[in-house]
Amino acid sequence: MSWRDKGQRVRVLLSQADWYLCFGVVFLLCVLIGLSMAVMKLNSVLNDADALPIEAVAISGERLYTSDKEIQVALQDLMQRSFFSADVNQVQDALEDLPWVYQASVRREWPAKLKVYLVEQKPVAHWNGDDWLNIYGEVFDAPIKEGIPNLPFLTGPEEQSKSVLTTYQQLGELLRINGFNLQSLSLSPRHAWHAQLNNGIKLELGREDKMARIQRFIHVYPQLTKQDKQVAIVDLRYDTGLAVGWDDAKKESR
């Protein structure tokens, strides 16, 4: 085929082409390329901490033991992100890792603020020396802070924290309405209960009938105070009666 014939064939093909379709395809490709570039640019801006920084973190909720400085340190790395790229779940986790924070909720507020609501731990007792129990009987570890009231000392197996707290509240209420103050309560590995009042008297309660044995102590205590000796320990692990240990004598009376 000569060059002249080839040229003639090309002219025929061009005359038969659907130019509207061709221009439409080219236009669509340009639009798609433009949208892709716009999305990439928008994503870059949204993730640019300099363009859309987090300008403020508003903290609400009653705080007694968690300082602004502790919150600032916990969030300092996360605050380097932009308003849109900051992960509120990570912010929440960082706040809940603070020792005195029980729960945190975080949400964005346009245009550049994070709003945080904190719920602090409410300690109700010391637990096994160094830890604390909250109002739900859950164990948590946190440093001592100013303003914490005098709390009872509870001890026991780790998995029994809720049971020990519940028993303390029940026995403590019975003692309180009768003029006593329960200072400490412990549960041994063999599930025997030991209590101590704030006047120093120790109570051996055994494993059963705790409430009945406390009631027996309350009933007999006025008789004990008539003695000229200071009560040190009262053993209530008997079906009837009790044993008393005195400060100034090793022998027991029953």
Side-chain angles (χ1 to χ4, degrees):
M1 181 181 293
S2 66
W3 284 107
R4 181 175 181 179
D5 292 336
K6 291 181 178 179
Q8 183 66 28
R9 186 174 181 180
V10 169
R11 285 193 293 271
V12 171
L13 291 174
L14 290 176
S15 65
Q16 294 176 346
D18 188 343
W19 292 106
Y20 287 103
L21 177 62
C22 294
F23 283 122
V25 171
V26 172
F27 178 75
L28 178 60
L29 289 174
C30 292
V31 170
L32 291 176
I33 293 172
L35 287 175
S36 299
M37 295 179 64
V39 169
M40 293 174 60
K41 180 63 176 178
L42 178 60
N43 183 66
S44 176
V45 171
L46 294 180
N47 288 279
D48 187 348
D50 293 327
L52 291 172
I54 300 172
E55 296 180 351
V57 178
I59 308 292
S60 60
E62 183 180 3
R63 283 188 291 140
L64 299 176
Y65 313 120
T66 306
S67 67
D68 291 340
K69 180 64 175 178
E70 289 174 308
I71 294 173
Q72 181 180 356
V73 171
L75 299 183
Q76 61 183 357
D77 292 335
L78 297 173
M79 293 302 99
Q80 303 304 313
R81 303 177 184 179
S82 75
F83 175 73
F84 287 101
S85 66
D87 189 330
V88 295
N89 291 322
Q90 289 184 347
V91 174
Q92 176 179 319
D93 291 342
L95 291 171
E96 290 181 349
D97 284 341
L98 292 173
W100 280 101
V101 173
Y102 177 70
Q103 190 175 55
S105 59
V106 183
R107 64 182 179 88
R108 294 183 179 88
E109 185 175 87
W110 181 261
K113 181 188 290 186
L114 293 182
K115 297 196 74 173
V116 175
Y117 184 82
L118 293 182
V119 177
E120 281 195 320
Q121 296 279 13
K122 292 181 173 59
V124 295
H126 297 274
W127 177 250
N128 286 342
D130 297 329
D131 293 331
W132 309 86
L133 290 186
N134 64 19
I135 57 177
Y136 307 109
E138 299 169 343
V139 181
F140 68 97
D141 179 24
I144 295 177
K145 294 280 188 173
E146 291 185 6
I148 298 177
N150 291 326
L151 298 174
F153 293 84
L154 307 182
T155 59
E158 289 299 320
E159 70 278 5
Q160 295 292 326
S161 59
K162 293 182 180 180
S163 175
V164 174
L165 178 61
T166 299
T167 300
Y168 167 80
Q169 292 169 337
Q170 294 171 344
L171 299 182
E173 178 64 16
L174 178 58
L175 287 163
R176 185 188 63 78
I177 62 178
N178 286 279
F180 299 95
N181 190 339
L182 182 57
Q183 185 177 46
S184 67
L185 182 68
S186 66
L187 177 64
S188 74
R190 300 183 64 182
H191 299 282
W193 294 93
H194 312 271
Q196 183 170 343
L197 308 181
N198 67 335
N199 59 9
I201 297 176
K202 297 179 180 179
L203 305 177
E204 295 292 342
L205 301 174
R207 291 186 285 184
E208 301 176 352
D209 302 324
K210 301 179 290 297
M211 296 293 285
R213 289 171 179 177
I214 287 290
Q215 188 63 60
R216 188 190 309 162
F217 165 77
I218 293 170
H219 178 73
V220 78
Y221 185 73
Q223 301 300 319
L224 300 179
T225 59
K226 294 179 181 180
Q227 305 296 319
D228 59 354
K229 304 172 185 178
Q230 181 68 36
V231 177
I233 184 171
V234 180
D235 191 342
L236 297 152
R237 296 173 295 177
Y238 302 94
D239 294 333
T240 60
L242 49 83
V244 180
W246 308 94
D247 265 352
D248 58 349
K250 293 185 179 179
K251 67 178 181 178
E252 294 181 336
S253 61
R254 182 173 178 184

